[in-house]
Amino acid sequence: MSTNTSTAPEIARPAQYLGFSLAGETYAIELLRIREIIEHVPITRVPGMPPAVLGVINLRGRVVPVVDLAMTMGLGPRPITRWTCFVIVEVMLDGERTALGLLADSVSEVIDLGADDIEPPPAFGTRAPVGYLRGMGRQEQRFILLLDLERLLSAEELLGLVGGAASGGA
Protein backbone atom coordinates (compact mmCIF):
# COMPACT_ATOMS: atom_id res chain seq x y z
CA MET A 1 0.00 0.00 0.00
CA SER A 2 1.40 3.27 -1.01
CA THR A 3 0.45 6.55 0.52
CA ASN A 4 1.49 9.61 -1.23
CA THR A 5 1.99 12.23 1.43
CA SER A 6 3.71 14.68 -0.82
CA THR A 7 1.59 17.36 -2.26
CA ALA A 8 2.14 19.44 -5.28
CA PRO A 9 3.60 22.79 -4.43
CA GLU A 10 0.83 25.21 -3.82
CA ILE A 11 0.79 28.25 -5.94
CA ALA A 12 0.29 31.20 -3.69
CA ARG A 13 -2.68 33.12 -4.84
CA PRO A 14 -2.89 36.80 -4.16
CA ALA A 15 -5.21 37.81 -1.38
CA GLN A 16 -7.90 40.31 -2.12
CA TYR A 17 -8.39 43.47 -0.09
CA LEU A 18 -11.03 46.17 -0.14
CA GLY A 19 -9.59 49.66 -0.37
CA PHE A 20 -11.43 52.44 1.36
CA SER A 21 -10.81 56.01 2.38
CA LEU A 22 -10.62 57.41 5.90
CA ALA A 23 -9.68 61.02 6.56
CA GLY A 24 -7.93 61.35 3.21
CA GLU A 25 -5.85 58.17 3.41
CA THR A 26 -6.42 54.83 1.74
CA TYR A 27 -6.63 51.74 3.92
CA ALA A 28 -7.52 48.17 3.09
CA ILE A 29 -8.89 45.11 4.84
CA GLU A 30 -9.07 41.53 3.67
CA LEU A 31 -12.04 40.94 1.44
CA LEU A 32 -12.83 37.64 3.17
CA ARG A 33 -13.63 39.55 6.36
CA ILE A 34 -16.29 41.65 4.68
CA ARG A 35 -19.92 40.58 4.61
CA GLU A 36 -21.24 43.51 2.64
CA ILE A 37 -21.05 47.21 1.98
CA ILE A 38 -24.12 49.34 2.52
CA GLU A 39 -24.85 53.01 2.09
CA HIS A 40 -24.95 55.26 5.10
CA VAL A 41 -28.19 55.10 7.08
CA PRO A 42 -29.12 56.95 10.26
CA ILE A 43 -27.29 55.70 13.34
CA THR A 44 -29.17 55.25 16.60
CA ARG A 45 -27.07 56.54 19.46
CA VAL A 46 -26.89 54.29 22.50
CA PRO A 47 -25.96 55.83 25.85
CA GLY A 48 -22.88 54.41 27.50
CA MET A 49 -21.15 53.26 24.32
CA PRO A 50 -17.41 53.80 24.01
CA PRO A 51 -16.50 56.91 21.96
CA ALA A 52 -15.44 54.88 18.91
CA VAL A 53 -18.82 53.12 18.76
CA LEU A 54 -21.17 55.63 17.20
CA GLY A 55 -24.32 53.63 17.91
CA VAL A 56 -26.23 50.93 16.08
CA ILE A 57 -27.96 50.49 12.74
CA ASN A 58 -30.79 48.24 11.71
CA LEU A 59 -29.46 45.79 9.14
CA ARG A 60 -32.46 43.79 7.95
CA GLY A 61 -33.78 43.50 11.48
CA ARG A 62 -30.41 42.87 13.14
CA VAL A 63 -28.77 45.33 15.49
CA VAL A 64 -25.29 46.11 14.19
CA PRO A 65 -22.92 48.35 16.18
CA VAL A 66 -21.12 50.98 14.09
CA VAL A 67 -17.46 51.75 14.73
CA ASP A 68 -15.75 54.90 13.53
CA LEU A 69 -12.29 53.62 12.61
CA ALA A 70 -11.00 57.15 12.12
CA MET A 71 -11.92 58.03 15.67
CA THR A 72 -10.43 54.78 16.96
CA MET A 73 -7.17 55.64 15.20
CA GLY A 74 -7.23 59.26 16.36
CA LEU A 75 -7.82 60.69 12.88
CA GLY A 76 -10.62 62.99 14.00
CA PRO A 77 -14.19 63.57 12.89
CA ARG A 78 -15.17 63.78 9.22
CA PRO A 79 -18.34 64.93 7.53
CA ILE A 80 -20.93 62.48 6.26
CA THR A 81 -21.02 62.74 2.47
CA ARG A 82 -22.92 60.97 -0.28
CA TRP A 83 -20.01 58.47 -0.50
CA THR A 84 -19.98 57.65 3.22
CA CYS A 85 -20.86 54.01 3.77
CA PHE A 86 -20.67 51.11 6.18
CA VAL A 87 -18.39 48.16 5.59
CA ILE A 88 -19.98 45.27 7.47
CA VAL A 89 -17.39 42.85 8.87
CA GLU A 90 -17.46 39.93 11.27
CA VAL A 91 -15.12 39.82 14.23
CA MET A 92 -14.80 37.69 17.32
CA LEU A 93 -15.75 39.66 20.44
CA ASP A 94 -15.70 37.81 23.75
CA GLY A 95 -15.61 34.51 21.84
CA GLU A 96 -18.70 35.34 19.84
CA ARG A 97 -18.87 36.12 16.13
CA THR A 98 -20.22 39.65 15.88
CA ALA A 99 -21.15 41.82 12.91
CA LEU A 100 -19.81 45.36 13.06
CA GLY A 101 -20.32 48.26 10.70
CA LEU A 102 -17.20 50.24 9.94
CA LEU A 103 -17.82 53.83 8.93
CA ALA A 104 -15.82 54.59 5.78
CA ASP A 105 -15.60 57.88 3.91
CA SER A 106 -15.79 55.91 0.66
CA VAL A 107 -14.81 52.56 -0.78
CA SER A 108 -12.62 52.46 -3.83
CA GLU A 109 -11.55 49.13 -5.22
CA VAL A 110 -10.67 45.49 -4.69
CA ILE A 111 -6.91 45.06 -4.65
CA ASP A 112 -5.02 41.84 -5.33
CA LEU A 113 -1.87 41.57 -3.22
CA GLY A 114 0.54 38.67 -3.18
CA ALA A 115 2.82 37.96 -0.25
CA ASP A 116 5.65 39.73 -2.07
CA ASP A 117 3.53 42.85 -2.40
CA ILE A 118 3.21 43.36 1.36
CA GLU A 119 5.87 45.19 3.33
CA PRO A 120 6.08 45.55 7.12
CA PRO A 121 4.34 48.62 8.48
CA PRO A 122 6.55 51.67 8.75
CA ALA A 123 7.80 52.63 12.19
CA PHE A 124 6.73 56.21 11.56
CA GLY A 125 5.13 58.45 8.97
CA THR A 126 1.53 57.26 9.09
CA ARG A 127 -1.30 59.00 10.85
CA ALA A 128 -2.66 55.66 12.05
CA PRO A 129 -1.04 54.00 15.06
CA VAL A 130 1.46 51.41 13.83
CA GLY A 131 -0.08 48.77 16.11
CA TYR A 132 -3.23 48.87 14.01
CA LEU A 133 -1.41 48.07 10.77
CA ARG A 134 -0.64 44.62 9.36
CA GLY A 135 1.59 46.05 6.69
CA MET A 136 1.74 48.14 3.57
CA GLY A 137 0.48 46.78 0.30
CA ARG A 138 2.42 47.80 -2.77
CA GLN A 139 0.24 48.53 -5.75
CA GLU A 140 1.98 50.01 -8.76
CA GLN A 141 3.53 53.28 -7.56
CA ARG A 142 1.65 53.61 -4.30
CA PHE A 143 1.31 51.94 -0.92
CA ILE A 144 -1.93 51.09 0.83
CA LEU A 145 -2.10 50.69 4.60
CA LEU A 146 -3.42 47.25 5.55
CA LEU A 147 -5.39 47.29 8.78
CA ASP A 148 -5.15 44.64 11.47
CA LEU A 149 -8.84 44.16 12.28
CA GLU A 150 -8.11 41.69 15.08
CA ARG A 151 -6.25 44.38 16.96
CA LEU A 152 -8.27 47.38 15.86
CA LEU A 153 -11.61 45.83 16.69
CA SER A 154 -10.67 43.88 19.80
CA ALA A 155 -12.92 44.36 22.78
CA GLU A 156 -10.09 46.03 24.67
CA GLU A 157 -9.55 48.59 21.93
CA LEU A 158 -13.22 49.29 21.41
CA LEU A 159 -13.82 49.75 25.09
CA GLY A 160 -10.79 52.00 25.38
CA LEU A 161 -9.08 49.79 27.95
CA VAL A 162 -5.77 49.91 26.13
CA GLY A 163 -4.17 53.22 26.91
CA GLY A 164 -2.38 55.33 24.40
CA ALA A 165 -3.94 53.82 21.30
CA ALA A 166 -4.11 57.17 19.62
CA SER A 167 -0.60 58.07 20.67
CA GLY A 168 1.03 54.92 19.28
CA GLY A 169 1.29 56.24 15.73
CA ALA A 170 3.25 58.80 13.87
Side-chain angles (χ1 to χ4, degrees):
M1 182 170 121
S2 169
T3 59
N4 186 359
T5 58
S6 68
T7 59
E10 289 188 32
I11 299 173
R13 286 203 254 167
Q16 292 188 311
Y17 295 83
L18 174 70
F20 60 96
S21 174
L22 279 180
E25 293 191 33
T26 302
Y27 297 89
I29 54 179
E30 291 176 79
L31 199 60
L32 292 176
R33 303 292 305 271
I34 298 170
R35 290 177 55 191
E36 62 186 296
I37 301 166
I38 62 171
E39 68 182 57
H40 185 271
V41 295
I43 300 170
T44 302
R45 305 265 179 210
V46 178
M49 291 279 208
V53 181
L54 299 176
V56 298
I57 59 172
N58 181 345
L59 182 63
R60 292 183 293 278
R62 291 187 59 198
V63 176
V64 175
V66 173
V67 176
D68 186 349
L69 290 180
M71 182 173 284
T72 303
M73 295 190 292
L75 301 178
R78 293 116 36 246
I80 301 297
T81 69
R82 61 188 272 196
W83 296 281
T84 302
C85 60
F86 300 113
V87 178
I88 308 296
V89 298
E90 280 193 351
V91 296
M92 294 298 286
L93 289 177
D94 292 333
E96 190 172 313
R97 188 171 295 277
T98 304
L100 292 177
L102 308 179
L103 185 65
D105 296 344
S106 65
V107 294
S108 53
E109 61 189 318
V110 174
I111 305 160
D112 292 324
L113 295 174
D116 294 341
D117 298 325
I118 299 174
E119 302 290 332
F124 63 95
T126 66
R127 293 172 45 205
V130 173
Y132 293 152
L133 301 176
R134 290 186 57 207
M136 295 181 63
R138 187 177 336 111
Q139 187 188 35
E140 297 173 5
Q141 299 298 315
R142 64 184 179 141
F143 285 100
I144 298 166
L145 301 170
L146 306 177
L147 293 177
D148 183 348
L149 282 187
E150 303 301 330
R151 172 82 195 275
L152 189 58
L153 300 176
S154 69
E156 294 80 14
E157 293 293 329
L158 291 179
L159 295 175
L161 298 177
V162 176
S167 64

